[in-house]
Amino acid sequence: MSADCPQPLAVRDSPNFLPGTSMCCEIAVLPLELLLSLQRSHFHVVGNNIQIVQRPGAGYNVISNGQVKAERQWNLTECIQRKVTVTSLKKYRNLQETILSKPMVFLTSIKPPEVSKKEMAYAIIVNTHHSKMRQEIQDSMNDVTASEIEANYILQITVQKAVQSFFSMKEGYKMDGLGLDFTCELKCDSFDCTSKIKELDGKVLDLSCLTEDEKCKVKNLLDNMSEPNIQINTASEQSPGEVPSLCAGSSEKEVFSSSQGQSYAKRTSVKEKSSTQYPAVNEKSYLLQFTQNLPRYIE
């Protein structure tokens, strides 16, 4: 039994996804212990304590108040609190960049249908690499307009309805619904306040699995999902005012993986680009020049 593919957990249903890609997944659901065992480089576990490893770009943004209770109580460090308050628009934008830099992980408790089994801690992963989920979060956080800079703004991002709808189809499964939201507040010296709740509505992918082959495929998917987001085009490569073909934060696999069946960004191929770099050539003239100078090409 390999270290990366641990012993099977008592969970149900085989995952149904495109192996090796992260862009096929919008929201993923899996037992917390399965996530910890398959992503050991991002989570250091000692007893009931979980330290989220912080690396630039790579890994996960775990949204939690520091604890999740199920069959056992987990204590978390280096997580992002479920409610964050900032006092300037610059700090708000920095928070937005942080949230979009890695997949968001919410933790909640699920009660399996079997009477003999206790509650289990589940991880709900919002894949910010996916263009749909990324755009939903970005649009919600961009609602702080110039006219609202001097006012308080409270945004709550939640996946509660999507997750509850998913488990409602699993007969007998019950959830407490806690821990599935993140609130960011921009607090200014003003009595005015704008509040908004953003329900993330995406396809939920069940990554619960039993066999070693399934676990290795899930690990491959999670590895891709936790990779750093990268930027392909730079400002120097674009004409003024041109929108980047691949914005910062988008996954390279989002563009280059032919197995996706979808295109999230328009890119000019090398062949297309090279064909526009040279003027049209008269074939007869070119052939004549080549034959006249033929001796120079023969040593």
Side-chain angles (χ1 to χ4, degrees):
M1 196 71 66
S2 67
D4 287 336
C5 296
Q7 292 286 346
L9 297 175
V11 292
R12 78 286 173 232
D13 294 346
S14 299
N16 181 20
F17 60 90
L18 193 61
T21 64
S22 62
M23 295 312 302
C24 62
C25 176
E26 296 178 13
I27 300 175
V29 172
L30 72 164
L32 175 58
E33 292 194 25
L34 182 61
L35 174 65
L36 298 178
S37 65
L38 298 181
Q39 295 289 277
R40 293 174 184 172
S41 61
H42 300 300
F43 300 95
H44 289 175
V45 181
V46 180
N48 288 355
N49 299 314
I50 304 172
Q51 179 186 6
I52 295 92
V53 180
Q54 298 296 329
R55 296 192 182 96
Y60 302 89
N61 284 322
V62 179
I63 312 298
S64 173
N65 285 341
Q67 288 185 338
V68 58
K69 297 180 180 179
E71 187 174 0
R72 60 195 293 191
Q73 176 174 302
W74 295 99
N75 303 308
L76 299 98
T77 59
E78 302 298 328
C79 55
I80 297 177
Q81 291 296 305
R82 284 174 54 203
K83 183 174 182 179
V84 177
T85 301
V86 295
T87 55
S88 71
L89 189 61
K90 181 179 180 181
K91 292 180 179 178
Y92 183 88
R93 295 304 186 195
N94 290 339
L95 176 63
Q96 180 179 2
E97 290 181 7
T98 298
I99 293 301
L100 292 172
S101 66
K102 305 175 185 180
M104 299 174 69
V105 179
F106 297 92
L107 304 177
T108 192
S109 298
I110 305 293
K111 176 66 177 176
E114 294 85 349
V115 178
S116 59
K117 293 185 178 179
K118 298 181 180 180
E119 283 187 322
M120 295 177 61
Y122 267 71
I124 315 299
I125 305 177
V126 176
N127 183 14
T128 55
H129 283 213
H130 194 284
S131 58
K132 177 180 182 292
M133 304 311 297
R134 184 178 188 82
Q135 195 65 49
E136 284 196 24
I137 297 172
Q138 197 165 30
D139 288 347
S140 299
M141 299 193 77
N142 281 344
D143 281 347
V144 180
T145 64
S147 61
E148 296 172 330
I149 291 177
E150 300 302 325
N152 296 332
Y153 182 79
I154 301 175
L155 170 66
Q156 184 180 83
I157 298 172
T158 176
V159 291
Q160 184 164 341
K161 285 186 178 179
V163 175
Q164 284 185 327
S165 176
F166 169 77
F167 278 103
S168 67
M169 295 185 293
K170 306 290 184 181
E171 186 176 355
Y173 282 82
K174 298 179 180 179
M175 61 178 297
D176 57 20
L178 300 177
L180 297 176
D181 57 78
F182 170 68
T183 302
C184 49
E185 178 182 9
L186 174 60
K187 194 170 185 180
C188 302
D189 294 331
S190 172
F191 292 105
D192 298 328
C193 182
T194 301
S195 298
K196 179 178 180 179
I197 296 178
K198 175 59 182 177
E199 287 277 359
L200 295 180
D201 183 18
K203 295 180 181 179
V204 179
L205 188 65
D206 190 357
L207 298 186
S208 301
C209 53
L210 289 169
T211 70
E212 296 306 307
D213 180 61
E214 290 171 348
K215 287 185 179 182
C216 288
K217 290 179 180 178
V218 169
K219 183 181 186 301
N220 191 22
L221 174 64
L222 294 173
D223 287 345
N224 279 277
M225 198 183 299
S226 61
E227 287 179 352
N229 292 342
I230 63 171
Q231 181 174 359
I232 298 296
N233 285 352
T234 62
S236 61
E237 296 174 335
Q238 302 165 36
S239 51
E242 183 181 354
V243 178
S245 62
L246 182 58
C247 300
S250 297
S251 170
E252 184 178 16
K253 292 180 176 58
E254 177 179 341
V255 174
F256 293 109
S257 177
S258 60
S259 61
Q260 296 301 325
Q262 300 180 16
S263 176
Y264 298 98
K266 294 182 179 179
R267 293 172 53 85
T268 303
S269 68
V270 175
K271 184 176 181 180
E272 290 171 343
K273 187 174 181 181
S274 61
S275 64
T276 61
Q277 290 177 345
Y278 302 98
V281 177
N282 185 299
E283 294 183 4
K284 292 183 178 180
S285 175
Y286 182 83
L287 181 61
L288 180 60
Q289 292 177 24
F290 179 82
T291 54
Q292 287 177 344
N293 297 280
L294 188 60
R296 287 195 294 173
Y297 294 92
I298 301 176
E299 297 293 333

